[in-house]
Amino acid sequence: RIQIIQDLGLGSGPPVEWVIGGAWLAVALFGVAVLGAQQAHNYKFRWGGKDDSKGPKLLWFTCRIGCKLMSELLFVTVFVSLIQALDCRQIASEYRLDADPTVICWRGFHLFQAVMSGVVTLFYAYLSLRVLRVGGDIEHIFVDWSVTVAKLGSILYLNGNSGKTLGQMLSN
């Protein structure tokens, strides 16, 4: 199919950097939607007495629909776009990005792109599983960001190995 598209002069699609960047943006908006839905739900039910404003309800409904779309319908598309930065194959003596063979893997910008894609993929899978676990009813999700950041910090601390380089830690 790609050859037919190229023969028609339409190209094979947008540059890989744009696809991966778009996936990063989609996941960031997904995280904001989960947080926004949680805050709007709390506001809607905490202050829902006499002041029956439509703003928080509309925000909650919009975030809820967006989260369901991102975690169910668009999961495979976004996930494949994210891991595209990690899909390298060996050509001659060096590894090249499968989606764009002009990019040499694990050097320069690709290293940053691959690391960020890995982190964003883990975050996306975590949030998607949380949304799927509650059946899309994101009002039942509570993410304690202080605990999440503390756990991540303790993992990165690597049991007191701070001050050592990554190479020193891996060699032990």
Side-chain angles (χ1 to χ4, degrees), residues 11 16 23 25-26 48 56 71 75 79 88 108 116 140 146-147 152 164-165:
V16 138
L25 179 63
S71 64
F75 183 82
F79 189 79
C88 295
M116 282 298 297
H140 300 296
S146 61
V147 172
L152 180 62
K164 293 182 179 179
T165 65

Side-chain angles (χ1 to χ4, degrees), residues 14-32:
V16 138
E17 291 84 8
W18 285 90
V19 172
I20 296 169
W24 290 355
L25 179 63
V27 172
L29 291 175
F30 180 44
V32 168

Side-chain angles (χ1 to χ4, degrees), residues 2-3 5-6 9-15 19 99:
I2 291 175
Q3 185 62 41
I5 292 171
Q6 289 173 345
L10 299 175
S12 61
V19 172

Side-chain angles (χ1 to χ4, degrees), residues 122-137:
L122 291 175
F123 178 70
Y124 181 51
Y126 170 75
L127 277 182
S128 293
L129 288 174
R130 292 287 303 260
V131 170
L132 291 173
R133 184 175 175 205
V134 295
D137 297 328

Side-chain angles (χ1 to χ4, degrees), residues 31 58 61 63 88 93 150:
L58 183 61
F61 182 72
C63 289
C88 295
S93 64

Side-chain angles (χ1 to χ4, degrees), residues 25-104:
L25 179 63
V27 172
L29 291 175
F30 180 44
V32 168
V34 169
L35 182 65
Q38 179 185 5
Q39 296 304 317
H41 183 266
N42 290 342
Y43 176 83
K44 182 178 96 170
F45 289 105
R46 187 179 304 146
W47 304 102
K50 294 180 183 177
D51 183 24
D52 194 23
S53 63
K54 303 287 187 238
K57 290 179 183 178
L58 183 61
L59 175 64
W60 173 76
F61 182 72
T62 304
C63 289
R64 185 171 186 215
I65 296 298
C67 288
K68 285 185 78 121
L69 282 173
M70 283 294 293
S71 64
E72 295 173 7
L73 186 63
L74 297 175
F75 183 82
V76 172
T77 304
V78 174
F79 189 79
V80 167
S81 297
L82 287 170
I83 63 170
Q84 204 172 30
L86 305 173
D87 187 18
C88 295
R89 92 168 62 172
Q90 188 172 6
I91 299 175
S93 64
E94 56 193 7
Y95 284 90
R96 300 260 180 184
L97 192 62
D98 197 29
D100 183 5
T102 63
V103 175
I104 299 173

